[in-house]
Amino acid sequence: MKNFELYNPVNLVFGKNQITKLSSLISKDQKVLMLYGGGSIKKNGVYDQVKEALDGYDVVEFGGIEANPEFETLMKALKVIKEEKIDFMLAVGGGSVIDGTKFLSSAALYEGDDPWEILAKRIRTNKGLPFGTVLTLPATGSEMNSGAVVSRKEINKKLAMGGPGLFPQFSICDPTVVKSIPQRQIANGVADAFTHVLEQYMTYPIGALVQDRFSEGIMSSLIEVAPKITADPSDYDAAANFMWACTMALNGLIQKGVPTDWSVHMIAHEITAHYGVDHARTLAIVLPRAYQYKFEEKKEKLAQFAERVLDVKTGNIEEKASHAITAIEEFYHSLGIDTKLSEYTEDYEGFAQKAAESLTQQGMVKLGEHGDITPEVAVEILEKSY
Ligand code: NZQ
Ligand code: ZN
């Protein structure tokens, strides 16, 4: 096992009716900016619950943060933070609203001229404006990690940022929010969380027994819960397991002491940047071909996944590993997620080259657990994903 430090200061407040606890989590003398997305919280009652819990607080609102949060929109929110002298932010939404808030947390204290530099120059944030979250969509794990991804459509960029200053102070995770989530977003949530585990697990054996079993447990739970939550999003037990699995998939725990990949995410971000395809779906496009390409390097963990998660008892390592890749692609399909780029756009010719150029510009020239996913390899993987 590799050496590691585990630091996660997020106060995770989980369960029914926890939104009422907001008043014990935010001090009344702070001026609060409440941030949200396109309005789902106004239809499902979450907005009213938050407002009620913050009765008597000085609250300013900023709505309209879109899926794949957009830099231009966030710059408008930054203006509000400065003009209104905001002390604390409350993100009420899914990964996009939370990620947007993380960008703002960093940008609010940024001393440079242009906050885009935080993303473009990959500046780590050691201190940000404090914020908390009310999660409305299990998927990204953003509620319990310190990373964020922000898009800028005018230049087709989708860039990641992070740092120890960007952990939420608290996150309220009430599984009852799941009942209003559209099927497409539930599918996205399951696929994204499942892929997060794979990025931290599907590398090579390193004798990390606990991390492997945690990862396998999260993936088994997602496979078990996916049909239940799809059939009935108001099934509280299923929703609670779905939500906790998504948080656990990317709160830093399972990646400690082990090699991680993340090349699928980095390549897939280029698809969202160019075509606006939902994040989770871009992962499903890239991952099967990436694993076929890296078959030799990944086959032992692929076989272990087949044995322990899929309960495959027969066959040699190669057969089990092949079975695993097929089963992962079938799992995406079972969620209603297409796994070829041509199923999302007709305009895919030449995309792989553009993606490779963008990765090169960002310095992402040695991705993967062995640092051998170069832009040229990304082209091969993407061309097979058309
Ligand atoms: O905007 P509203 O109206 O709120 O609607 C949202 C949005 O349209 C809707 N929604 C959310 N909660 C709902 C709901 N609809 C009904 N009922 C509810 N309870 O769902 C839509 C999608 O929301 P979004 O926040 O975009 O989804 P998700 O949580 O999947 O976040 C995706 C973003 O997170 C980034 C992705 O790249 C993408 O930009 N990621 C962030 C990560 C992180 N910070 O660690 C890691 C991930 O790998 C990922 O890259
Ligand atoms: Zn993801």
Side-chain angles (χ1 to χ4, degrees):
M1 205 186 299
K2 298 182 177 194
N3 295 354
F4 65 86
E5 284 186 25
L6 174 60
Y7 171 74
N8 193 317
V10 180
N11 177 10
L12 199 91
V13 185
F14 190 95
K16 280 180 195 164
N17 301 322
Q18 300 287 40
I19 293 175
T20 54
K21 289 199 179 145
L22 274 173
S23 56
S24 64
L25 295 165
I26 306 175
S27 138
K28 243 190 180 150
D29 53 20
Q30 289 182 306
K31 188 164 186 183
V32 178
L33 179 64
M34 174 181 171
L35 298 124
Y36 51 91
S40 69
I41 62 165
K42 293 203 168 154
K43 291 185 208 135
N44 61 15
V46 172
Y47 176 87
D48 291 337
Q49 287 180 58
V50 171
K51 290 293 277 192
E52 199 177 314
L54 292 181
D55 189 29
Y57 281 73
D58 189 359
V59 182
V60 178
E61 290 180 29
F62 186 91
I65 298 178
E66 52 285 270
N68 306 311
E70 176 58 41
F71 177 73
E72 300 300 336
T73 308
L74 298 172
M75 290 305 283
K76 291 180 193 151
L78 185 59
K79 206 161 160 247
V80 175
I81 291 171
K82 297 208 161 150
E83 282 171 6
E84 298 281 345
K85 299 193 170 45
I86 296 295
D87 304 302
F88 190 88
M89 292 181 291
L90 181 65
V92 186
S96 293
V97 174
I98 299 175
D99 281 12
T101 302
K102 287 178 178 172
F103 169 77
L104 292 168
S105 166
S106 177
L109 304 189
Y110 184 60
E111 284 172 359
D113 296 333
D114 178 8
W116 178 249
E117 291 168 355
I118 301 167
L119 292 143
K121 296 188 180 166
R122 292 207 268 166
I123 297 171
R124 275 175 77 71
T125 304
N126 293 315
K127 190 174 185 306
L129 187 69
F131 68 98
T133 88
V134 175
L135 179 69
T136 65
L137 175 53
T140 62
S142 190
E143 67 279 7
M144 203 175 171
N145 67 40
S146 60
V149 194
V150 171
S151 296
R152 193 170 186 179
K153 269 200 218 98
E154 58 168 341
I155 50 170
N156 284 345
K157 290 282 179 235
K158 177 164 182 166
L159 304 181
M161 58 180 285
L166 293 180
F167 283 105
Q169 261 182 14
F170 64 81
S171 282
I172 296 184
C173 298
D174 177 345
T176 60
V177 300
V178 172
K179 61 177 181 287
S180 67
I181 302 174
Q183 290 289 339
R184 166 196 169 106
Q185 300 299 343
I186 287 185
N188 285 351
V190 174
D192 192 22
F194 194 79
T195 311
H196 290 159
V197 182
L198 287 173
E199 296 266 35
Q200 301 162 89
Y201 170 90
M202 207 60 89
T203 56
Y204 51 87
I206 190 171
L209 303 184
V210 176
Q211 293 89 326
D212 277 4
R213 296 283 188 193
F214 272 151
S215 295
E216 289 151 3
I218 297 166
M219 290 188 286
S220 298
S221 303
L222 285 166
I223 292 171
E224 185 176 331
V225 91
K228 292 185 192 157
I229 200 68
T230 308
D232 180 10
S234 63
D235 174 342
Y236 182 80
D237 286 337
N241 282 299
F242 170 41
M243 193 172 244
W244 186 224
C246 292
T247 302
M248 284 295 292
L250 195 49
N251 63 2
L253 185 66
I254 60 171
Q255 73 182 15
K256 295 299 166 192
V258 300
T260 57
D261 182 344
W262 294 111
S263 63
V264 170
H265 266 71
M266 295 310 141
I267 297 172
H269 282 167
E270 296 302 320
I271 303 181
T272 302
H274 281 78
Y275 300 107
V277 174
D278 293 352
H279 169 66
R281 289 164 201 258
T282 64
L283 304 173
I285 294 168
V286 176
L287 185 138
R289 262 56 64 186
Y291 284 11
Q292 272 150 9
Y293 191 87
K294 300 296 297 175
F295 188 83
E296 277 306 311
E297 291 82 352
K298 290 187 186 291
K299 68 183 181 189
E300 286 177 64
K301 288 302 282 286
L302 280 163
Q304 181 177 314
F305 168 85
E307 285 161 15
R308 296 189 186 173
V309 178
L310 307 174
D311 206 21
V312 174
K313 300 262 192 282
T314 56
N316 58 25
I317 288 196
E318 283 75 17
E319 285 161 346
K320 286 178 180 164
S322 291
H323 181 101
I325 298 177
T326 308
I328 293 168
E329 190 160 12
E330 280 169 3
F331 183 56
Y332 293 135
H333 289 157
S334 76
L335 298 167
I337 295 182
D338 293 324
T339 55
K340 288 282 187 178
L341 185 58
S342 52
E343 291 168 298
Y344 296 89
T345 174
E346 288 174 7
D347 176 31
Y348 53 83
E349 288 301 342
F351 166 68
Q353 296 296 344
K354 286 185 210 151
E357 277 162 33
S358 177
L359 289 169
T360 307
Q361 266 177 21
Q362 294 167 53
M364 295 201 190
V365 291
K366 288 182 178 175
L367 297 172
E369 67 272 22
H370 298 291
D372 55 358
I373 310 272
T374 59
E376 294 73 36
V377 172
V379 168
E380 284 195 46
I381 291 170
L382 279 170
E383 285 180 344
K384 289 203 172 71
S385 309
Y386 285 174

